[in-house]
Amino acid sequence: MPLQATRATPGESRQDAILDAAERVFAASGYQGAAMRAIAGEAGVAQGLIHYHFKTKEKLFEAMVARRSNQINARRAALVAGLFEHGTPRLEAIVEALFRPTIETGLDLARDGGAFARILVAFANSADPRDQKLIETHYDPIAQTFIAALMRVEPGLSRSDAVWAYMFAIGVGMTMMAKTGRPKRLSGGVCDDGDVEAMLDRIVPFICGGVRALVEG
Amino acid sequence: MPLQATRATPGESRQDAILDAAERVFAASGYQGAAMRAIAGEAGVAQGLIHYHFKTKEKLFEAMVARRSNQINARRAALVAGLFEHGTPRLEAIVEALFRPTIETGLDLARDGGAFARILVAFANSADPRDQKLIETHYDPIAQTFIAALMRVEPGLSRSDAVWAYMFAIGVGMTMMAKTGRPKRLSGGVCDDGDVEAMLDRIVPFICGGVRALVEG
DNA sequence: GTCTATAGTTCGATAGAC
DNA sequence: GTCTATCGAACTATAGAC
């Protein structure tokens, strides 16, 4: 039985430890601002080991995105499919299914303060072809699923308006995932973007009202 | 009469040339990814001159934000004030006033492909205290103006819901300013986030529907 | 004000021992 | 698989001539 070094979460492979550390450092400093040295330090491994497992910084980033995205989007797909199993769900349920897996898996406040959700906000808004290629691979398919779902629950919605509605909904969700603290500042402490349930309680009706306005107009 | 070096826009001071170049390079590469060398090259000046005028990279960024923000937010404040001069305007007019100065001044497609709007998207979503301090200085005051305007045109809206509505509206606007090209991909070429007028035509009713849903709920 | 040259640091990546 | 040590290339910022 080989000796096992002390590690933040015992039983975790060093590859996963590196990916976890990458998530935290990329979230805190951005892609360019994150240093391989800092990730290695956070993971408790030598810098050379990261290059052994992931070759380059860019490939490390991609591996980190792939791991968490697959996790989140499998859950999202299952939720939407489940909603249509017994008749046609309400629009509200679709919108909730859009966000809940991301905030529960990626935000995961207890573990890392929402590291992956922050990364998502940054690179989903990037026009860099490298970032958009990642979005296309990992998020466009599930986006098409949601766009189709929107059209099923709101039959008056045209396909192009469903695409716009999806983009706008994601934009609203960004304000929750970015967790900038601005709502608290603007409201004198009343609105807290760290309280995910309170935000969902306002985000869901806001988006549903927006979608239905596109149907009517 | 002193000899004047050839410059991209003649009659412009070198300070302004540097700020213009900074806008383009920061927009293309992000704060960390933008090199002072690249900005100097883009501006057609020596790298040392940037440090002479702006001292550090961070102060250069702040000066660039201040210049464009003052321009945009003065226009926004004037628009909102004008709307209330003869009675109470419609919600739609408020929402339009929220975005048009930014897209016309900061996006400015013909000049730079929307450089400043891209910068705005990136640092408005940042949780870094340095970025939030800039937002607080340059954008929180005009935000309070718009929040108050929302409550005036929709009397049923509580203050906290008005703050949420403002945040959500900004989030929707991000999808226009980021110009990622994703709507075109998702719609098979139909929806174009480069067509600002077409986007505003969908964004305004979407946001107004969302706000009114918060009033009713 | 504007330039050239460079000091001093930090970065991504690799080599090679174990 | 994992570590230490280091290379070579970038970076920000400054010094000093003009």
Side-chain angles (χ1 to χ4, degrees), chain B residues 104-120:
Chain B
E104 285 179 355
T105 307
L107 215 84
D108 206 337
L109 297 166
R111 202 194 67 228
D112 56 18
F116 188 70
R118 280 211 172 93
I119 292 167
L120 219 42

PDB file of all heavy atoms in Angstrom, chain B residues 104-120:
ATOM      1  N   GLU B 104     -24.245  54.084 -28.833  1.00  0.00           N
ATOM      2  CA  GLU B 104     -23.878  55.059 -29.863  1.00  0.00           C
ATOM      3  C   GLU B 104     -22.510  55.686 -29.599  1.00  0.00           C
ATOM      4  O   GLU B 104     -21.782  56.018 -30.523  1.00  0.00           O
ATOM      5  CB  GLU B 104     -24.962  56.141 -29.992  1.00  0.00           C
ATOM      6  CG  GLU B 104     -26.180  55.597 -30.733  1.00  0.00           C
ATOM      7  CD  GLU B 104     -27.306  56.614 -30.873  1.00  0.00           C
ATOM      8  OE1 GLU B 104     -27.199  57.716 -30.311  1.00  0.00           O
ATOM      9  OE2 GLU B 104     -28.293  56.271 -31.546  1.00  0.00           O
ATOM     10  N   THR B 105     -22.161  55.840 -28.338  1.00  0.00           N
ATOM     11  CA  THR B 105     -20.852  56.412 -28.012  1.00  0.00           C
ATOM     12  C   THR B 105     -19.808  55.321 -27.859  1.00  0.00           C
ATOM     13  O   THR B 105     -18.726  55.391 -28.416  1.00  0.00           O
ATOM     14  CB  THR B 105     -20.919  57.203 -26.683  1.00  0.00           C
ATOM     15  OG1 THR B 105     -21.971  58.142 -26.771  1.00  0.00           O
ATOM     16  CG2 THR B 105     -19.608  57.921 -26.423  1.00  0.00           C
ATOM     17  N   GLY B 106     -20.155  54.314 -27.095  1.00  0.00           N
ATOM     18  CA  GLY B 106     -19.176  53.303 -26.735  1.00  0.00           C
ATOM     19  C   GLY B 106     -19.068  52.173 -27.734  1.00  0.00           C
ATOM     20  O   GLY B 106     -17.997  51.584 -27.886  1.00  0.00           O
ATOM     21  N   LEU B 107     -20.138  51.877 -28.404  1.00  0.00           N
ATOM     22  CA  LEU B 107     -20.071  50.773 -29.356  1.00  0.00           C
ATOM     23  C   LEU B 107     -19.456  51.291 -30.658  1.00  0.00           C
ATOM     24  O   LEU B 107     -18.527  50.706 -31.196  1.00  0.00           O
ATOM     25  CB  LEU B 107     -21.468  50.193 -29.610  1.00  0.00           C
ATOM     26  CG  LEU B 107     -21.517  48.685 -29.831  1.00  0.00           C
ATOM     27  CD1 LEU B 107     -21.549  47.952 -28.498  1.00  0.00           C
ATOM     28  CD2 LEU B 107     -22.751  48.299 -30.625  1.00  0.00           C
ATOM     29  N   ASP B 108     -20.038  52.380 -31.136  1.00  0.00           N
ATOM     30  CA  ASP B 108     -19.477  53.100 -32.268  1.00  0.00           C
ATOM     31  C   ASP B 108     -18.846  52.159 -33.297  1.00  0.00           C
ATOM     32  O   ASP B 108     -17.639  52.153 -33.541  1.00  0.00           O
ATOM     33  CB  ASP B 108     -18.409  54.077 -31.767  1.00  0.00           C
ATOM     34  CG  ASP B 108     -18.253  55.240 -32.731  1.00  0.00           C
ATOM     35  OD1 ASP B 108     -18.597  55.085 -33.912  1.00  0.00           O
ATOM     36  OD2 ASP B 108     -17.776  56.309 -32.302  1.00  0.00           O
ATOM     37  N   LEU B 109     -19.711  51.378 -33.899  1.00  0.00           N
ATOM     38  CA  LEU B 109     -19.252  50.285 -34.762  1.00  0.00           C
ATOM     39  C   LEU B 109     -18.284  50.729 -35.843  1.00  0.00           C
ATOM     40  O   LEU B 109     -17.295  50.058 -36.136  1.00  0.00           O
ATOM     41  CB  LEU B 109     -20.468  49.617 -35.404  1.00  0.00           C
ATOM     42  CG  LEU B 109     -21.411  48.964 -34.385  1.00  0.00           C
ATOM     43  CD1 LEU B 109     -22.744  48.631 -35.024  1.00  0.00           C
ATOM     44  CD2 LEU B 109     -20.757  47.742 -33.795  1.00  0.00           C
ATOM     45  N   ALA B 110     -18.556  51.875 -36.429  1.00  0.00           N
ATOM     46  CA  ALA B 110     -17.733  52.306 -37.552  1.00  0.00           C
ATOM     47  C   ALA B 110     -16.294  52.570 -37.115  1.00  0.00           C
ATOM     48  O   ALA B 110     -15.345  52.283 -37.835  1.00  0.00           O
ATOM     49  CB  ALA B 110     -18.319  53.568 -38.175  1.00  0.00           C
ATOM     50  N   ARG B 111     -16.123  53.085 -35.888  1.00  0.00           N
ATOM     51  CA  ARG B 111     -14.791  53.507 -35.476  1.00  0.00           C
ATOM     52  C   ARG B 111     -13.936  52.358 -34.956  1.00  0.00           C
ATOM     53  O   ARG B 111     -12.822  52.156 -35.378  1.00  0.00           O
ATOM     54  CB  ARG B 111     -14.894  54.612 -34.412  1.00  0.00           C
ATOM     55  CG  ARG B 111     -13.630  55.461 -34.304  1.00  0.00           C
ATOM     56  CD  ARG B 111     -13.643  56.298 -33.028  1.00  0.00           C
ATOM     57  NE  ARG B 111     -13.561  55.465 -31.866  1.00  0.00           N
ATOM     58  CZ  ARG B 111     -14.346  55.570 -30.793  1.00  0.00           C
ATOM     59  NH1 ARG B 111     -15.272  56.483 -30.766  1.00  0.00           N
ATOM     60  NH2 ARG B 111     -14.203  54.758 -29.770  1.00  0.00           N
ATOM     61  N   ASP B 112     -14.483  51.599 -34.006  1.00  0.00           N
ATOM     62  CA  ASP B 112     -13.621  50.630 -33.348  1.00  0.00           C
ATOM     63  C   ASP B 112     -14.286  49.289 -33.029  1.00  0.00           C
ATOM     64  O   ASP B 112     -13.766  48.512 -32.233  1.00  0.00           O
ATOM     65  CB  ASP B 112     -13.052  51.229 -32.066  1.00  0.00           C
ATOM     66  CG  ASP B 112     -14.183  51.690 -31.156  1.00  0.00           C
ATOM     67  OD1 ASP B 112     -15.317  51.243 -31.349  1.00  0.00           O
ATOM     68  OD2 ASP B 112     -13.913  52.486 -30.259  1.00  0.00           O
ATOM     69  N   GLY B 113     -15.430  49.035 -33.631  1.00  0.00           N
ATOM     70  CA  GLY B 113     -16.054  47.746 -33.415  1.00  0.00           C
ATOM     71  C   GLY B 113     -16.589  47.555 -32.014  1.00  0.00           C
ATOM     72  O   GLY B 113     -16.756  46.443 -31.542  1.00  0.00           O
ATOM     73  N   GLY B 114     -16.875  48.654 -31.320  1.00  0.00           N
ATOM     74  CA  GLY B 114     -17.501  48.532 -30.009  1.00  0.00           C
ATOM     75  C   GLY B 114     -16.534  48.264 -28.892  1.00  0.00           C
ATOM     76  O   GLY B 114     -16.861  47.577 -27.931  1.00  0.00           O
ATOM     77  N   ALA B 115     -15.342  48.828 -29.006  1.00  0.00           N
ATOM     78  CA  ALA B 115     -14.294  48.534 -28.029  1.00  0.00           C
ATOM     79  C   ALA B 115     -14.725  48.854 -26.602  1.00  0.00           C
ATOM     80  O   ALA B 115     -14.639  47.996 -25.724  1.00  0.00           O
ATOM     81  CB  ALA B 115     -13.022  49.294 -28.388  1.00  0.00           C
ATOM     82  N   PHE B 116     -15.202  50.068 -26.367  1.00  0.00           N
ATOM     83  CA  PHE B 116     -15.486  50.432 -24.984  1.00  0.00           C
ATOM     84  C   PHE B 116     -16.631  49.617 -24.400  1.00  0.00           C
ATOM     85  O   PHE B 116     -16.605  49.255 -23.214  1.00  0.00           O
ATOM     86  CB  PHE B 116     -15.775  51.928 -24.841  1.00  0.00           C
ATOM     87  CG  PHE B 116     -15.891  52.361 -23.414  1.00  0.00           C
ATOM     88  CD1 PHE B 116     -14.767  52.391 -22.606  1.00  0.00           C
ATOM     89  CD2 PHE B 116     -17.123  52.694 -22.862  1.00  0.00           C
ATOM     90  CE1 PHE B 116     -14.861  52.762 -21.268  1.00  0.00           C
ATOM     91  CE2 PHE B 116     -17.224  53.067 -21.528  1.00  0.00           C
ATOM     92  CZ  PHE B 116     -16.096  53.103 -20.733  1.00  0.00           C
ATOM     93  N   ALA B 117     -17.626  49.305 -25.217  1.00  0.00           N
ATOM     94  CA  ALA B 117     -18.741  48.497 -24.721  1.00  0.00           C
ATOM     95  C   ALA B 117     -18.240  47.132 -24.259  1.00  0.00           C
ATOM     96  O   ALA B 117     -18.696  46.598 -23.249  1.00  0.00           O
ATOM     97  CB  ALA B 117     -19.799  48.340 -25.814  1.00  0.00           C
ATOM     98  N   ARG B 118     -17.287  46.569 -24.973  1.00  0.00           N
ATOM     99  CA  ARG B 118     -16.717  45.273 -24.577  1.00  0.00           C
ATOM    100  C   ARG B 118     -15.991  45.374 -23.236  1.00  0.00           C
ATOM    101  O   ARG B 118     -16.096  44.496 -22.393  1.00  0.00           O
ATOM    102  CB  ARG B 118     -15.720  44.792 -25.638  1.00  0.00           C
ATOM    103  CG  ARG B 118     -16.366  44.154 -26.841  1.00  0.00           C
ATOM    104  CD  ARG B 118     -15.438  43.076 -27.409  1.00  0.00           C
ATOM    105  NE  ARG B 118     -16.106  42.317 -28.462  1.00  0.00           N
ATOM    106  CZ  ARG B 118     -16.042  42.607 -29.760  1.00  0.00           C
ATOM    107  NH1 ARG B 118     -15.341  43.644 -30.167  1.00  0.00           N
ATOM    108  NH2 ARG B 118     -16.677  41.861 -30.643  1.00  0.00           N
ATOM    109  N   ILE B 119     -15.240  46.464 -23.069  1.00  0.00           N
ATOM    110  CA  ILE B 119     -14.532  46.677 -21.807  1.00  0.00           C
ATOM    111  C   ILE B 119     -15.523  46.772 -20.660  1.00  0.00           C
ATOM    112  O   ILE B 119     -15.335  46.188 -19.592  1.00  0.00           O
ATOM    113  CB  ILE B 119     -13.678  47.961 -21.903  1.00  0.00           C
ATOM    114  CG1 ILE B 119     -12.543  47.746 -22.895  1.00  0.00           C
ATOM    115  CG2 ILE B 119     -13.154  48.369 -20.536  1.00  0.00           C
ATOM    116  CD1 ILE B 119     -11.831  49.027 -23.291  1.00  0.00           C
ATOM    117  N   LEU B 120     -16.617  47.490 -20.916  1.00  0.00           N
ATOM    118  CA  LEU B 120     -17.667  47.669 -19.925  1.00  0.00           C
ATOM    119  C   LEU B 120     -18.235  46.323 -19.489  1.00  0.00           C
ATOM    120  O   LEU B 120     -18.415  46.061 -18.294  1.00  0.00           O
ATOM    121  CB  LEU B 120     -18.770  48.530 -20.558  1.00  0.00           C
ATOM    122  CG  LEU B 120     -19.461  49.584 -19.733  1.00  0.00           C
ATOM    123  CD1 LEU B 120     -18.490  50.359 -18.878  1.00  0.00           C
ATOM    124  CD2 LEU B 120     -20.239  50.516 -20.647  1.00  0.00           C
TER     125      LEU B 120
END
